[in-house]
Amino acid sequence: MKALMSIFLFCLGAPAFAGSFAPPEGCTSTLTVQSRGCYVANYYTCQADANGDQWRADFDQDGLFYLSKIDHETQWVESYDMNPQVKQTLDPNPVDPANFTSLLATGRDDFEFGLSKDNGEQTYVKGFDKLTGVTATIDGVTLQVTEYEFVETDTAGNELRKSRGHEYVSPEWRNFFAGPSEWWNGSDWLPMNSSPVQFILPGEKGFAATQPLFECDAVMSSLPYNPEIARHDDL
């Protein structure tokens, strides 16, 4: 699987034009989500993974910029930044692991865990997700709206980034989707909104697309913009 992933990352590192997303061998694409903020995500599962694991490949106008894997409880198991390419993994024995089942059952899930990058960087994440009791229907899909906050610190306890806002969750797909949020830049809260616009299933027009459709002109005109930190689940 490691060799296949290396080939996959190499092939997708170049700019992607209006074509079809192809997951690694032994994997199956399940969902394409076109979102605000000029990016499109392709979700897939792999036979070699544990039951409930999901991958997500994020594309902007220049191609693949982020790849991530979550488990059945939506823990951030593994991710790859593309520019430059850096791998990040969840540290063993988290203090309070993310738990999607608990969120759905109780309405709130607190989490605290460590992350390590293959360049030697280590960080710690602490926060919560909470159901608001509100639902939203986007492109015919009914989603539950959450409130969240988290802060990420280095090993010395210095804040690296923090965010607050709202997201959408799908109990059926066991996944989070970005919503309107705010990110702290050290002096101000900066608003971002990467909410989904279209959910595209296999066989539907636009499935496996690698070109984003929405707000790309707005993103280009409001630089600097970093789509990599526009979502709570991009840790």
Side-chain angles (χ1 to χ4, degrees), residues 90-159:
L90 178 69
D91 291 344
N93 305 314
V95 174
D96 189 354
N99 191 305
F100 195 73
T101 300
S102 177
L103 174 64
L104 296 180
T106 69
R108 181 182 174 109
D109 178 46
D110 293 272
F111 50 80
E112 184 176 356
F113 53 86
L115 297 168
S116 295
K117 294 183 178 180
D118 59 6
N119 62 7
E121 295 180 12
Q122 290 184 299
T123 61
Y124 298 94
V125 179
K126 185 175 182 178
F128 71 86
D129 294 304
K130 182 173 68 174
L131 297 179
T132 63
V134 176
T135 60
T137 301
I138 300 175
D139 196 26
V141 178
T142 300
L143 305 163
Q144 297 186 41
V145 180
T146 72
E147 176 187 350
Y148 80 88
E149 290 185 16
F150 82 83
V151 60
E152 185 174 10
T153 60
D154 62 19
T155 54
N158 301 306
E159 285 189 1

Side-chain angles (χ1 to χ4, degrees), residues 2-3 65-66 87 110 112 116 130 150 160 186 191 195 199 218:
K2 183 176 180 181
F65 68 86
Y66 188 76
K87 179 182 179 180
D110 293 272
E112 184 176 356
S116 295
K130 182 173 68 174
F150 82 83
L160 301 176
S195 297
F199 293 101

Side-chain angles (χ1 to χ4, degrees), residues 5-51:
M5 185 59 65
S6 298
I7 296 172
F8 172 66
L9 293 175
F10 175 80
C11 292
L12 291 181
F17 299 97
S20 275
F21 170 77
E25 184 178 351
C27 304
T28 302
S29 295
T30 59
L31 177 68
T32 298
V33 181
Q34 288 279 2
S35 298
R36 298 181 59 177
C38 194
Y39 85 92
V40 56
N42 282 284
Y43 295 77
Y44 61 98
T45 59
C46 299
Q47 295 176 3
D49 289 337
N51 185 39

Side-chain angles (χ1 to χ4, degrees), residues 183-205:
W183 290 80
W184 182 250
N185 70 354
S187 57
D188 296 297
W189 286 101
L190 304 179
M192 292 187 181
N193 193 343
S194 302
S195 297
V197 179
Q198 293 180 345
F199 293 101
I200 308 166
L201 296 171
E204 296 180 344
K205 183 179 179 180

